[in-house]
Amino acid sequence: MRIHIEGTNAEIAYTLSKIRTILPVGRISPITPIRRRPHTWRVSVDTAPQRAECRWAR
């Protein structure tokens, strides 16, 4: 599942910490600025389908 997050640096850090407690995170895209909104960033997070013994369930 891919989750898109937009916000300030603090909002993104807080949201990622909450997502990591619930879902296993596989990859986080580079943080990119949004041109039309100052101090706002966009990031995408890929999560695994289910939690298992290893990092990714196959």
Side-chain angles (χ1 to χ4, degrees), residues 1 7 13 19 40 45-46 48-50 56:
M1 174 173 46
I19 288 174
T40 305
V45 180
D46 290 333
Q50 61 186 356
W56 287 96

Side-chain angles (χ1 to χ4, degrees), residues 4 6 11 13 18 20-21 23 27 29 31-32 36 38-39 43 45 49-52 56:
H4 300 283
E6 290 185 3
E11 291 170 340
K18 292 299 179 183
R20 283 183 171 178
T21 61
L23 299 169
R27 187 178 82 80
S29 71
I31 297 174
T32 56
R36 62 189 181 275
H39 308 291
V43 67
V45 180
Q50 61 186 356
R51 192 176 288 275
W56 287 96

Side-chain angles (χ1 to χ4, degrees), residues 8-56:
T8 63
N9 285 340
E11 291 170 340
I12 289 175
Y14 178 78
T15 304
L16 287 176
S17 69
K18 292 299 179 183
I19 288 174
R20 283 183 171 178
T21 61
I22 299 169
L23 299 169
V25 173
R27 187 178 82 80
I28 299 174
S29 71
I31 297 174
T32 56
I34 299 175
R35 286 192 221 169
R36 62 189 181 275
R37 291 170 44 192
H39 308 291
T40 305
W41 306 84
R42 177 179 293 146
V43 67
S44 296
V45 180
D46 290 333
T47 61
Q50 61 186 356
R51 192 176 288 275
E53 295 294 324
C54 62
R55 186 170 182 162
W56 287 96

